[in-house]
Amino acid sequence: MAWVQRIRHLTASILCGAGILSILQYPGDRFVFSWFCIVIFAIGYSAIRSNEYSHFFLGIIWFLGFWAKYFFHSLTGILYGEPVGAFNNSAASWDAVFYLIAIGGSGYLAGRLLILPATNALTERAMYQTINVPRGWANYRNLVWAGAAVALALVLIANANLGILIRGHVARIVLPWPLGGLFAWMTDIGFALILSLLLAWDRNSAQGVERGFLALCIEGALFSLSTLSRGVFFFHTVPAIVTETRTFVRMRALKPLATLFAIWLLIGSAVPTISTFIRLFGSDAAPTTIQAIPERQSGASPTSGALWDQFVTMARVLLVDRWTGLEGAMASTAYPEKSFGLFKEAALQRRTYGMVDVYTGKISQSGFTEERAKTYHYATPSGPIGFLYFSGSYWLVFWGMAFVAVLMSLTELAWLRLTREPLLVAMSGLYLAFIVLQISGSIIQSATGLLAVTGFFLAIWCSRRLAGEARFGKTSAEQSPPRHP
C-alpha cells in the first residue's frame, strides 16, 4: 500500500534527522556517541524487519529506552525518573555509559547474526502456520468462553478481597509456594494466553476474531484495575494488534482492522487514566516515585498543584521513562566496586518480601530500605547490559548479550514449533522481551515464568499428540479464511 510506504519513509527521515541532531548536540566524545547511535538504530531497524516477536518488541523498547529517552531528557533538561546511583552527569561519565551500551548492543546484534541463518527460514515459514482446531469446536465454543469468563471473575474477586497482587504494595495475604507465583503468572500472561488460544480456535474455524479480541481487551482492562498496573492492558492486547493486523493487511480487509483498532484505542485511552487515578488516590494508593514514599507515609493531603505534578510525572513515566536500561547503565558505570563477586551475588539472589535487591539497594542508591519494603514493593531494574556490567568486564557484557540474543531466538522457535500459532508466540514473545528488559539479577526466579509458558505450550502439543489428528479439525493449510463483519 502506497500510503503505508509513505508513512514509513517519512518516519525514517524524521528519525535519521533527529539522530544526526543528537550527535551534533552531544557534549562528549562524538565518536563513542555515534557508535552508540548506529548500534541502537540498527537494533531498532532489525526489530521492525524481524519475524521473531521477542526481538521485535525488545528492539523497539530498547530504541525508546536508550536513544529516545536520552534525546528527550537532553532536550527538556528533566531529571530521570529512575535513580542513577553515583552518576555525576559529566561528559566523561556519559561517554562511559554510551561506550558500555554500544558494546552490549554490538554483542546483541552479533548474537542475532549468529543465530539468524538457523532460525530465519524456519520462523518465516512457521509464521503463516496456525494451530489446529479441536473437532466440533463451533458446537461448544460458547460454553468454553463462558467458563473462561467465570474463571476470570473468580480471580478478580479473590484479588479484590485478599489483596494477593497489588502493584506497588506488599501482598496483604501471601499465598504459599507455588500458589503465589502461579497467581502472579496468571495475571501477567496466563489468562491472556488462554484467551489467545480461544481466539485462534475461533479464527481458524471461521468464527471471526471479534469476540476473542474484545475478551483480551476486557481481561487486560480488568487486571489493570485490579492489580493497579497501568501496562497490563497494553501487554495483553498489543500482540493481538500486531498479529491480526498482519493477517488483515495480507487479506486487504481494512474494515475489520479499523473496527478492532477503534475498540482498542477507546479502551486503551481510558484504562491507564483510571488505574493511575486509583493508584494515586484510591484506598490502595501507592507512591509514584521513590521520593514520594515519605509523603505517602505521612498521610498528608496533597495540594491541587501537587496532584497536577503527580499526573504530569506519571504521564512522562508511562510514555518515556518506563522503558528501562539507560539509568541502569548510568548507575552501573558509576558504581566503584564492580566485581565478579557482585555479579554473582545479584545473579543468585532470591527475591522475597521485605528485602531489597542488590541493584536497588547498593548500585542505584535509591534510598529504598527494608523497613519500607515491609509496606511497599519497589524495584528499579538495571536491564541486562547494566546487570552484566556489575562484573566490571566488557567481555562479559558483549558475550553475555550475544548469548541473550541466541537464547531468545531458540526459545521463541521452540514455542513456535510447539504451538504453530503466531498470536500465542507474539503474546509470549512480548513477555520474554519484558523479562529480558527488566532483569537485574535473580536469574532463576526470572526464568520460572518462561518455564511456565513453555509448560503451557507443551501441554497444547501433548494434547494434540495424545488425541490424534482425528480429534482435531483441518490443518492450517486447509483452514477456511476467517469470517469478517
Side-chain angles (χ1 to χ4, degrees):
M1 297 181 185
W3 63 273
V4 175
Q5 293 297 330
R6 286 195 293 268
I7 292 176
R8 288 177 177 175
H9 293 157
L10 177 61
T11 303
S13 299
I14 293 174
L15 290 177
C16 288
I20 294 173
L21 178 62
S22 68
I23 293 174
L24 294 177
Q25 62 86 42
Y26 181 65
D29 189 330
R30 291 180 180 173
F31 175 80
V32 171
F33 188 73
S34 297
W35 179 22
F36 158 79
C37 288
I38 291 171
V39 168
I40 295 303
F41 273 72
I43 289 175
Y45 179 77
S46 66
I48 62 176
R49 302 289 297 179
S50 177
N51 290 322
E52 300 173 68
Y53 288 108
S54 57
H55 290 294
F56 170 77
F57 290 119
L58 183 62
I60 293 175
I61 291 171
W62 266 347
F63 182 82
L64 295 172
F66 285 127
W67 177 83
K69 181 189 289 187
Y70 168 77
F71 192 49
F72 170 82
H73 283 281
S74 66
L75 289 178
T76 62
I78 297 175
L79 297 178
Y80 287 86
E82 296 289 333
V84 294
F87 185 79
N88 61 16
N89 205 40
S90 66
S93 297
W94 277 115
D95 289 345
V97 168
F98 292 127
Y99 185 74
L100 172 64
I101 297 172
I103 289 177
S106 298
Y108 171 80
L109 289 173
R112 290 214 61 193
L113 291 174
L114 180 66
I115 197 66
L116 196 62
T119 61
N120 195 37
L122 292 173
T123 303
E124 185 174 3
R125 184 168 63 251
M127 286 281 288
Y128 297 100
Q129 296 180 349
T130 51
I131 195 168
N132 290 341
V133 182
R135 189 174 298 277
W137 167 246
N139 298 326
Y140 56 83
R141 60 185 287 266
N142 290 334
L143 181 62
V144 175
W145 277 110
V150 171
L152 175 61
L154 292 176
V155 170
L156 292 169
I157 292 172
N159 196 49
N161 287 277
L162 303 179
I164 301 171
L165 181 62
I166 300 175
R167 304 293 179 183
H169 279 272
V170 171
R172 292 199 297 267
I173 294 182
V174 179
L175 297 179
W177 186 91
L179 297 181
L182 180 61
F183 187 92
W185 181 82
M186 287 297 297
T187 61
D188 284 341
I189 190 174
F191 258 105
L193 286 177
I194 293 172
L195 297 181
S196 297
L197 176 62
L198 303 186
L199 185 156
W201 285 348
D202 272 1
R203 185 212 308 125
N204 295 342
S205 59
Q207 300 296 323
V209 300
E210 294 78 15
R211 176 188 291 186
F213 184 75
L214 183 59
L216 282 171
C217 289
I218 294 174
E219 179 263 356
L222 292 176
F223 273 138
S224 289
L225 299 177
S226 175
T227 64
L228 298 186
S229 170
R230 284 73 48 90
V232 164
F233 172 79
F234 297 104
F235 302 154
H236 289 188
T237 56
V238 167
I241 287 286
V242 172
T243 58
E244 303 314 306
T245 294
R246 288 183 173 182
T247 301
F248 289 139
V249 169
R250 192 167 63 245
M251 298 174 60
R252 296 184 178 274
L254 298 183
K255 182 178 178 180
L257 174 61
T259 301
L260 294 182
F261 188 76
I263 294 172
W264 178 78
L265 195 62
L266 180 64
I267 301 177
S269 61
V271 169
T273 303
I274 298 173
S275 59
T276 297
F277 185 87
I278 297 174
R279 184 161 181 151
L280 288 173
F281 313 118
S283 58
D284 290 313
T288 57
T289 63
I290 186 68
Q291 293 83 4
I293 287 180
E295 178 183 344
R296 180 66 63 189
Q297 289 177 328
S298 69
S301 300
T303 63
S304 58
L307 296 181
W308 173 252
D309 289 341
Q310 285 184 322
F311 272 117
V312 172
T313 299
M314 186 57 61
R316 174 174 54 81
V317 167
L318 294 178
L319 295 175
V320 179
D321 288 330
R322 181 182 186 89
W323 317 116
T324 57
L326 181 59
E327 295 95 331
M330 294 162 67
S332 297
T333 54
Y335 189 68
E337 299 179 14
K338 294 183 288 290
S339 67
F340 279 97
L342 178 69
F343 172 76
K344 181 180 178 180
E345 178 187 0
L348 299 181
Q349 188 176 47
R350 185 179 184 277
R351 297 187 301 267
T352 59
Y353 287 110
M355 68 158 288
V356 181
D357 64 81
V358 169
Y359 177 74
T360 301
K362 291 183 179 180
I363 300 173
S364 73
Q365 299 180 10
S366 65
F368 191 67
T369 64
E370 292 187 356
E371 181 65 28
R372 290 174 175 174
K374 295 177 182 179
T375 302
Y376 299 107
H377 180 265
Y378 175 84
T380 176
S382 67
I385 294 176
F387 164 64
L388 291 169
Y389 197 51
F390 292 175
S391 64
S393 169
Y394 288 122
W395 287 108
L396 182 61
V397 173
F398 180 89
W399 291 111
M401 291 305 299
F403 176 75
V404 166
V406 171
L407 188 60
M408 288 176 64
S409 292
L410 293 178
T411 300
E412 182 167 330
L413 182 59
W415 287 345
L416 194 55
R417 295 297 296 271
L418 288 173
T419 65
R420 298 191 299 182
E421 171 50 50
L423 176 55
L424 290 174
V425 178
M427 191 72 67
S428 53
L430 179 57
Y431 182 67
L432 171 58
F434 266 88
I435 293 292
V436 173
L437 177 74
Q438 298 181 339
I439 193 167
S440 299
S442 305
I443 298 297
I444 296 177
Q445 284 179 294
S446 299
T448 54
L450 302 177
L451 292 175
V453 172
T454 305
F456 178 78
F457 291 160
L458 189 61
I460 295 174
W461 182 84
C462 289
S463 64
R464 187 173 68 246
R465 288 285 182 173
L466 292 175
E469 294 298 329
R471 294 286 302 277
F472 285 81
K474 300 175 183 178
T475 62
S476 59
E478 302 170 326
Q479 290 290 348
S480 301
R483 176 178 60 84
H484 306 301

